[in-house]
């Protein structure tokens, strides 16, 4: 994930261009990293360190999403629809 991708994610999901800490932006960035690591693991099945990092990121994203769900249900539903996660 390069700087340009991060800036695009912040513009799309943040409240302004410097909003990198909001829950929606964090979840969107993690989703991007998770998809990149998933592609890496398809060709490198024995990379266990990356697999562990991926599982930790998925867990953190899950915790952030549950926090967002408890705070603002409408924003949560909109975010998962935009990102295409959770079935």
């Amino acid at each position: 994930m390069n700087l340009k991708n991060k800036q695009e994610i912040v513009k799309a999901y943040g409240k302004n261009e410097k909003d990198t800490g909001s829950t929606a932006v964090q979840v969107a960035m993690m989703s991007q990293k998770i998809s990149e690591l998933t592609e890496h693991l398809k060709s490198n099945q024995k990379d266990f360190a990356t697999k562990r990092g991926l599982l930790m990121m998925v867990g953190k994203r899950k915790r952030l999403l549950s926090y967002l769900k408890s705070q603002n249900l409408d924003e949560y539903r909109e975010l998962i629809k935009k990102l295409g996660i959770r079935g």
Side-chain angles (χ1 to χ4, degrees):
M1 175 181 279
N2 60 20
L3 183 61
K4 191 173 184 179
N5 289 347
K6 287 183 183 182
Q7 289 172 344
E8 289 173 5
I9 290 172
V10 171
K11 277 185 185 176
Y13 296 98
K15 294 171 180 53
N16 57 43
E17 292 182 8
K18 301 213 181 242
D19 180 24
T20 58
S22 69
T23 309
V25 173
Q26 289 184 48
V27 170
M29 282 195 192
M30 275 194 197
S31 296
Q32 178 69 31
K33 286 181 186 177
I34 287 170
S35 64
E36 289 174 5
L37 287 177
T38 302
E39 290 301 314
H40 170 77
L41 282 173
K42 284 181 182 175
S43 59
N44 301 286
Q45 294 93 1
K46 295 188 178 188
D47 189 353
F48 298 112
T50 301
K51 186 175 181 180
R52 180 177 186 272
L54 173 67
L55 291 174
M56 288 170 48
M57 265 189 236
V58 169
K60 186 166 187 171
R61 182 178 73 175
K62 183 178 178 182
R63 288 192 304 273
L64 283 169
L65 282 170
S66 73
Y67 168 76
L68 184 61
K69 187 176 181 181
S70 70
Q71 297 297 313
N72 190 346
L73 187 61
D74 294 331
E75 187 179 347
Y76 165 79
R77 287 182 178 156
E78 182 181 326
L79 182 64
I80 60 170
K81 189 179 283 188
K82 262 186 173 178
L83 292 173
I85 53 179
R86 299 264 167 118

